Amino acid sequence: MSDIAASDFRHPRRFVRLDTILRLRWLAVLGQLATIFIVSQGLDFDVPIVPCVTIIGFSALLNLVLQITFNPVHRLEPAYAAALLAINIAELAALLVLTGGLQNPFSFLFLAPVLISATALPTRFTIALGLLAIACATALGFFHLPLPWNGDEPLVLPPTYMTAVWLSIVLAIGVTSLYAFQVTEEARKLSDALAATELVLTREQHLTQLDGLAAAAAHELGTPLSTIYLISRELEGTTQGDKLDEHTRNDLKMLREQARRCRDILAKITQLSSRDTSFDRMPLSSLIEETVAPHRDFGIVIKVRIALADDPEPVGVRNPAILYGVGNILENAVDFAREKVEVNAWWNTDVVEIIVSDDGPGIPPDILKRIGEPYLSRRRTNDEQNGRDGLGLGVFIARTLLERTGARVSFTNRVFPAHGAVVTIVWPRDGFETTEIPSTSLS
């Protein structure tokens, strides 16, 4: 089976485009200006316009400097992106100091920079920004100007209510940021896992294409090699009575022997596809044998049982996705088995089924509920002991590829007192026999 090194799919460092940050900052500038205009002119509230506009102008000036200095497609290092988000928090805190502190309903905008960080920046920066936002919200509970109001007396809210507002802001920052981080992380892992699946499928397709190319080459080269062999033999026979030096006769003999050797090698290659069906199709028994053969010499007994049926044996396309998927599941069974792995297959007019079972410890209950998710692994192999960590992608890739061919894959454990894992793969028979080789696109 194709191997994917852990270094090929480590999560890359997270970078944010400067243009993305600038767009958000410009949106904040326009929103703040519109809010001040509506509150002061539309609602006729007493707002400290000059200090507020000064703070907003500083934000706009910073945007202009960054837009002129750097290319918009420039990707910011996480530290610089976090610094810009921290400036956003500080600017919002300064505006809230002038407009009522936590009494201002816009105080919940502290959540926005932290939420952006949770979806785009490493965890440590998100935690730092969350703490900064909480510190600013806490300070605003004690230090702020009165909330702009149109009455003669300023609006004063009870301390209990203000404490509840502060607590709701803190909880919103924590809970929402954690949720956004988890969703984004799962989406990123799924994207990386699908990229790995696409790479595996591409490799398997290349191997299948090489097999076909070898058979075609053997067929095409057979005729010229036969011609060379016959001519060399005729030359050797016609020169027996001539006075040729020993070196020339040896050359003719070697030419004939090497041509015959090439014909024998090509004949062996041709025999690889000498089945009753064409090279690009294979019966179920051949599919199982091809996936089982690489794992027979690892000290684990592999028993293959193919149930006889009145219906003819199903013959499907030589599909790299099926070969890799079944092979990967079998490889897992061999890795975890103690002594024996069983591969059972049967079919009827409606379905084709392959069952792979082992006598190992079985699948832990917490893993069984999540089996098939990317980056889910408890395997400890020789590679891992030598410092190469498994990605936990094998089952995900196998299941994804098999399900794309129309199969239904289920994972269970044997019923006590027996022990071991059981993987059942079921295709609709018409789907198995007509499934085309899939493209490498997983979109």
Side-chain angles (χ1 to χ4, degrees), residues 186-236:
E186 289 180 1
R188 185 179 294 110
K189 287 182 178 180
L190 182 60
S191 176
D192 292 345
L194 288 176
T197 306
E198 186 170 329
L199 176 60
V200 167
L201 182 57
T202 301
R203 289 178 178 177
E204 294 299 316
Q205 286 181 339
H206 287 171
L207 291 176
T208 300
Q209 291 167 358
L210 286 175
D211 289 343
L213 182 62
H219 176 75
E220 295 295 330
L221 292 175
T223 300
L225 280 175
S226 296
T227 304
I228 294 173
Y229 175 77
L230 291 174
I231 293 176
S232 63
R233 189 174 63 178
E234 290 176 0
L235 285 175
E236 189 178 2

Side-chain angles (χ1 to χ4, degrees), residues 132-193:
L132 175 61
I134 293 173
C136 290
T138 304
L140 286 173
F142 300 97
F143 307 103
H144 61 84
L145 296 179
L147 179 69
W149 204 249
N150 58 359
D152 295 334
E153 295 182 2
L155 178 65
V156 179
L157 298 175
T160 304
Y161 178 81
M162 297 311 303
T163 302
V165 170
W166 174 85
L167 184 60
S168 64
I169 292 175
V170 172
L171 291 178
I173 289 174
V175 174
T176 310
S177 299
L178 179 62
Y179 178 80
F181 171 81
Q182 188 67 27
V183 171
T184 304
E185 192 69 12
E186 289 180 1
R188 185 179 294 110
K189 287 182 178 180
L190 182 60
S191 176
D192 292 345

Side-chain angles (χ1 to χ4, degrees), residues 14-73:
R14 303 178 188 176
F15 295 95
V16 182
R17 286 198 313 166
L18 176 62
D19 184 61
T20 302
I21 297 292
L22 288 179
R23 287 175 183 273
L24 294 174
R25 287 180 56 83
W26 280 120
L27 182 62
V29 167
L30 294 177
Q32 290 162 358
L33 287 174
T35 301
I36 291 176
F37 176 79
I38 292 172
V39 172
S40 62
Q41 302 300 319
L43 301 178
D44 198 23
F45 285 1
D46 186 14
V47 180
I49 297 178
V50 175
C52 290
V53 172
T54 301
I55 295 172
I56 297 172
F58 169 76
S59 179
L61 179 62
L62 178 59
N63 289 354
L64 286 174
V65 171
L66 292 175
Q67 205 157 10
I68 294 173
T69 305
F70 298 97
N71 191 319
V73 298

Side-chain angles (χ1 to χ4, degrees), residues 67-120:
Q67 205 157 10
I68 294 173
T69 305
F70 298 97
N71 191 319
V73 298
H74 175 70
R75 293 192 174 273
L76 294 170
E77 290 282 343
Y80 296 122
L84 286 177
L85 293 174
I87 291 175
N88 289 350
I89 294 175
E91 291 170 352
L92 177 61
L95 289 173
L96 291 175
V97 167
L98 300 172
T99 56
L102 295 184
Q103 296 180 7
N104 192 319
F106 290 100
S107 58
F108 279 90
L109 289 177
F110 277 126
L111 177 62
V114 185
L115 192 59
I116 294 171
S117 176
T119 60

Side-chain angles (χ1 to χ4, degrees), residues 175-344:
V175 174
T176 310
S177 299
L178 179 62
Y179 178 80
F181 171 81
Q182 188 67 27
V183 171
T184 304
E185 192 69 12
E186 289 180 1
R188 185 179 294 110
K189 287 182 178 180
L190 182 60
S191 176
D192 292 345
L194 288 176
T197 306
E198 186 170 329
L199 176 60
V200 167
L201 182 57
T202 301
R203 289 178 178 177
E204 294 299 316
Q205 286 181 339
H206 287 171
L207 291 176
T208 300
Q209 291 167 358
L210 286 175
D211 289 343
L213 182 62
H219 176 75
E220 295 295 330
L221 292 175
T223 300
L225 280 175
S226 296
T227 304
I228 294 173
Y229 175 77
L230 291 174
I231 293 176
S232 63
R233 189 174 63 178
E234 290 176 0
L235 285 175
E236 189 178 2
T238 56
T239 56
Q240 289 295 331
D242 298 339
K243 295 181 179 179
L244 293 177
D245 58 89
E246 187 68 20
H247 179 71
T248 302
R249 281 196 296 270
N250 289 337
D251 285 346
L252 288 173
K253 182 179 179 181
M254 182 177 294
L255 178 61
R256 178 174 57 81
E257 291 176 349
Q258 293 302 315
R260 183 175 60 186
R261 182 183 176 189
C262 288
R263 288 178 59 196
D264 293 340
I265 293 173
L266 292 178
K268 291 180 181 179
I269 295 176
T270 304
Q271 288 174 2
L272 293 176
S273 59
S274 59
R275 301 186 180 95
D276 293 337
T277 57
S278 61
F279 179 77
D280 61 347
R281 298 188 66 82
M282 58 194 316
L284 179 64
S285 57
S286 298
L287 183 151
I288 293 176
E289 180 57 33
E290 186 164 333
T291 55
V292 167
H295 307 289
R296 288 193 181 278
D297 299 325
F298 289 91
I300 300 296
V301 177
I302 302 178
K303 293 186 176 180
V304 178
R305 295 189 180 94
I306 300 179
L308 299 178
D310 295 334
D311 302 299
E313 181 177 2
V315 177
V317 175
R318 184 184 177 84
N319 193 324
I322 295 178
L323 291 172
Y324 181 87
V326 176
N328 190 279
I329 289 174
L330 182 63
E331 182 180 1
N332 281 338
V334 172
D335 288 342
F336 287 102
R338 295 173 181 173
E339 298 178 355
K340 181 177 63 175
V341 170
E342 296 181 0
V343 181
N344 298 309

